[in-house]
Amino acid sequence: MSDHQQTADSRQYITFFANGQEFAADIMAIREIRGWTDTTALPHVPHYVRGVINLRGIVLPVIDLKAKLGLGLTEASPKNVIIVVSWDNHTTGVLVDAVSDIVTVRSSDIQPPPDIMDATQDSYVDGIAVLDGRMVTLLATSHLMAMTENAAATAAIEAA
């Protein structure tokens, strides 16, 4: 299997770090990876929305993954990156510490999230993969995007 093939039994993910923990998102949802760019802050948005950036003429919200997952706020610097994620015609930038690798994960390598996670946090996590002895949290990109869209809609209503 080449590095870019996905099968019914395996998927490719891009791995990245936030708060020293390794996460992964389905490679099919990733549009590009950019260096950190200062954002324009918006009023009345959730604490994890860093603001917006202009991506080739498109205003794109940027969320802080660490803050979104309840792991604190990222002190953004030129070392950070923004992963541009698209899902169901919605595009969002996700601020992370660094991008790590592209990995192929077999469905047999994925374990469900533990029951100790509350229902809200659980929805962000598709599962936990054990890869070469390390644990990687597989993010549910569609749920992250839906939550961001809901937050943007709420902010727009509050601002009106």
Side-chain angles (χ1 to χ4, degrees), residues 1-6 12 104:
M1 180 169 68
S2 79
D3 288 342
H4 299 290
Q5 289 181 328
Q6 297 202 52
Q12 287 194 309
T104 300

Side-chain angles (χ1 to χ4, degrees), residues 11 13-14 16 18 22-26 29 63 65 68-69 83 85 87 94 96 117 121-128 136-144:
R11 300 181 108 174
Y13 292 85
I14 291 183
F16 46 90
E22 193 170 17
F23 295 90
D26 189 324
I63 66 168
L65 181 63
K68 176 80 172 173
L69 298 176
I83 299 174
V85 180
W87 196 269
V94 180
V96 300
M117 297 176 71
Q121 299 303 316
D122 181 44
S123 65
Y124 303 146
V125 177
D126 270 343
I128 309 289
V136 179
T137 303
L138 305 178
L139 295 177
T141 309
S142 60
H143 290 228
L144 272 175

Side-chain angles (χ1 to χ4, degrees), residues 27-157:
I27 197 168
M28 298 306 289
I30 308 298
R31 295 295 163 242
E32 68 180 83
I33 299 166
R34 306 174 44 92
W36 168 248
T37 302
D38 285 331
T39 59
T40 300
L42 296 174
H44 308 291
V45 294
H47 73 285
Y48 57 84
V49 177
R50 297 297 294 251
V52 293
I53 60 171
N54 182 351
L55 181 66
R56 293 181 292 280
I58 298 171
V59 176
L60 187 73
V62 176
I63 66 168
D64 182 338
L65 181 63
K66 191 171 147 183
K68 176 80 172 173
L69 298 176
L71 302 172
L73 193 63
T74 300
E75 298 272 340
S77 74
K79 293 179 180 178
N80 293 96
V81 295
I82 297 171
I83 299 174
V84 178
V85 180
S86 289
W87 196 269
D88 290 340
N89 297 320
H90 302 290
T91 304
T92 297
V94 180
L95 173 63
V96 300
D97 294 342
V99 172
S100 175
D101 201 0
I102 297 173
V103 296
T104 300
V105 179
R106 294 180 314 229
S107 49
S108 61
D109 294 331
I110 301 172
Q111 297 185 23
D115 292 338
I116 57 173
M117 297 176 71
D118 71 33
T120 303
Q121 299 303 316
D122 181 44
S123 65
Y124 303 146
V125 177
D126 270 343
I128 309 289
V130 179
L131 304 172
D132 300 325
R134 65 189 201 276
M135 295 194 355
V136 179
T137 303
L138 305 178
L139 295 177
T141 309
S142 60
H143 290 228
L144 272 175
M145 299 300 289
M147 295 293 188
T148 302
E149 291 298 317
N150 291 341
T154 301
I157 290 168

